[in-house]
Amino acid sequence: PLNTSKCTELARLGRRAWSLKRRLDTATETSHAFLLPNGLSVRLGGYDPSAIKAELAYIQAEIDAIAFDLYGFSETDREMAEGGTQQVDAADADEENELSADEAPPLDALLSWAAGVAFGRFDWRLATGERDAPEEPDPFDPQPAQSPGMLPDEAVPFHQHPGVLVDDSGHNHDLPRLIEAVLERVDAPVDRDIRRWLRRDFFKYHLQQYSKSRRKAPIYWPLATASGDYTLWVYYPQLTSQTLFKAINDFVEPKIREVVEDIAALRHSGANRSRQDERRLEALVDFEAELNELRDKLLSIAPNYKPDHDDGVQITAAPLWHLFRHTPWRKVLKETWERLERGDNDWAKLAI
């Protein structure tokens, strides 16, 4: 029989297990419990993944032992039950297409968090001690609207921006520079070329982070030229019908003017141009053509682009599929756009 002492013990073990599992989730960026990435979580104290997992395994064994006794399992029954549990867990792990804190490369997780700080999503003050981590909630408290690691609505963001950042060295909204500034602020230097990481690795990692089962919901959108040498990073939570116009007027057009001036200066030098100057002139001409193509594509979409967050990330991003360079995501968006054109998703406000 399930007596009072066993009820109390099961309740104690279950409460402790919940607390430990939640503590592990405080380093997972997409969790409601998220505070800081793996590399910075130790600053809050009590975060030791190996020790936490060892204690969870012990608790699981204790709960299993109580349950087996209550049901009168023999040793053979127990071995079969434990083996079956492991198989189910493995199947669940295969189906769960999401990175946990210990699966995510620590450096990628740190850089992703720093990018989130630059976009105004996460609160760097938890890493510097300027803000204390909130107390652990009760297991039956309502799910929070956002994780405690996110920047509170009333707080001033690390960097003010119009919903768009850019990969453009020297620009005020240059994302690689901002990531470096965040890491410097929290005293977490990294040995990596951040601009190269941003161009080659970030979106692939981000897409995996923000995907679960068949739901893909990346919130940082890289809209790039054909070569990827110039990328606008659009922040989905702040996306409005004016965002593309801002991207054109505040980012792409000024960049085109800058490149045109550089081309004119090189051409003006005439016969005095060196071989290096000739190569630079050729590269700038190609770059201007790419920027014009990016501007023209944005201009063709912007007047009729009325995003609605209720449609979800995939449908909202679909009209922009030409501008994503990550091939798998581009393919998903192209197929989504084709379905919208056929009327398959006529419930979507964007389709209307």
Side-chain angles (χ1 to χ4, degrees):
L2 187 58
N3 57 39
T4 302
S5 63
K6 287 181 179 178
C7 280
T8 301
E9 181 63 5
L10 284 171
R12 184 189 69 80
L13 291 170
R15 178 64 174 81
R16 178 60 178 164
W18 176 87
S19 179
L20 292 169
K21 287 287 287 182
R22 185 183 184 280
R23 194 171 303 170
L24 284 177
D25 277 353
T26 61
T28 299
E29 184 175 309
T30 53
S31 167
H32 280 290
F34 178 67
L35 288 169
L36 289 172
N38 208 333
L40 299 176
S41 290
V42 292
R43 299 185 183 185
L44 300 177
Y47 184 78
D48 182 345
S50 297
I52 291 172
K53 290 176 181 178
E55 186 175 353
L56 279 169
Y58 171 79
I59 289 172
Q60 182 67 67
E62 290 289 297
I63 291 174
D64 288 346
I66 294 173
F68 292 152
D69 286 341
L70 289 171
Y71 282 98
F73 275 33
S74 66
E75 286 299 321
T76 302
D77 293 336
R78 295 184 185 205
E79 290 175 6
M80 291 182 64
E82 288 172 344
T85 300
Q86 290 172 359
Q87 292 175 4
V88 171
D89 289 345
D92 289 344
D94 288 339
E95 180 146 354
E96 201 67 30
N97 184 24
E98 185 180 18
L99 285 177
S100 64
D102 54 348
E103 293 170 330
L107 187 52
D108 286 337
L110 175 62
L111 293 176
S112 173
W113 171 81
V117 173
F119 277 105
R121 185 170 185 81
F122 298 124
D123 194 344
W124 73 97
R125 298 173 302 171
L126 288 166
T128 61
E130 298 170 67
R131 176 188 163 203
D132 293 330
E135 294 293 326
E136 180 180 271
D138 186 85
F140 297 102
D141 283 350
Q143 194 77 286
Q146 61 183 38
S147 70
M150 293 180 70
L151 188 71
D153 292 339
E154 70 280 2
V156 177
F158 185 85
H159 176 77
Q160 297 280 3
H161 62 83
V164 181
L165 295 176
V166 66
D167 177 0
D168 183 13
S169 180
H171 197 284
N172 181 48
H173 298 304
D174 180 43
L175 180 53
R177 181 190 64 80
L178 289 168
I179 292 174
E180 291 174 354
V182 171
L183 296 174
E184 182 179 351
R185 182 71 170 268
V186 300
D187 191 23
V190 300
D191 184 19
R192 182 176 289 193
D193 184 335
I194 293 177
R195 194 173 303 278
R196 179 181 173 85
W197 171 81
L198 193 71
R199 293 182 180 184
R200 293 168 58 96
D201 304 322
F202 179 39
F203 187 74
K204 179 181 178 181
Y205 170 76
H206 174 62
L207 182 61
Q208 187 179 7
Q209 264 191 317
Y210 283 72
S211 295
K212 187 173 183 180
S213 299
R214 295 185 179 182
R215 183 175 181 270
K216 296 175 170 58
I219 58 173
Y220 310 129
W221 296 359
L223 309 181
T225 57
S227 65
D229 288 340
Y230 183 85
T231 302
L232 299 165
W233 286 88
V234 174
Y235 185 41
Y236 170 70
Q238 292 184 9
L239 182 69
T240 71
S241 60
Q242 296 303 304
T243 299
L244 298 188
F245 288 111
K246 291 178 182 177
I248 296 164
N249 296 330
D250 298 345
F251 292 86
V252 183
E253 286 283 10
K255 188 63 179 180
I256 291 174
R257 290 195 294 270
E258 177 187 320
V259 172
V260 167
E261 290 174 3
D262 290 343
I263 290 172
L266 283 171
R267 283 178 172 162
H268 184 70
S269 61
N272 294 324
R273 289 197 299 269
S274 64
R275 185 174 298 178
Q276 183 178 357
D277 289 337
E278 290 290 350
R279 287 196 294 269
R280 174 166 168 72
L281 177 59
E282 183 179 345
L284 284 171
V285 170
D286 291 342
F287 188 35
E288 182 197 2
E290 286 194 352
L291 288 169
N292 283 326
E293 182 183 16
L294 174 62
R295 177 199 58 195
D296 292 345
K297 285 183 177 178
L298 289 170
L299 279 171
S300 69
I301 298 169
N304 297 312
Y305 189 59
K306 303 293 187 287
D308 190 298
H309 287 78
D310 288 341
D311 287 343
V313 170
Q314 195 167 309
I315 285 177
T316 307
L320 303 165
W321 70 266
H322 305 79
L323 302 176
F324 287 90
R325 300 300 158 214
H326 184 262
T327 303
W329 179 239
R330 180 185 174 114
K331 181 180 178 181
V332 167
L333 294 186
K334 182 180 179 182
E335 291 171 352
T336 304
W337 179 247
E338 289 170 348
R339 289 199 300 272
L340 283 167
E341 287 185 313
R342 291 195 303 266
D344 293 354
N345 298 110
D346 57 359
W347 52 267
K349 294 181 181 178
L350 188 67
I352 296 171

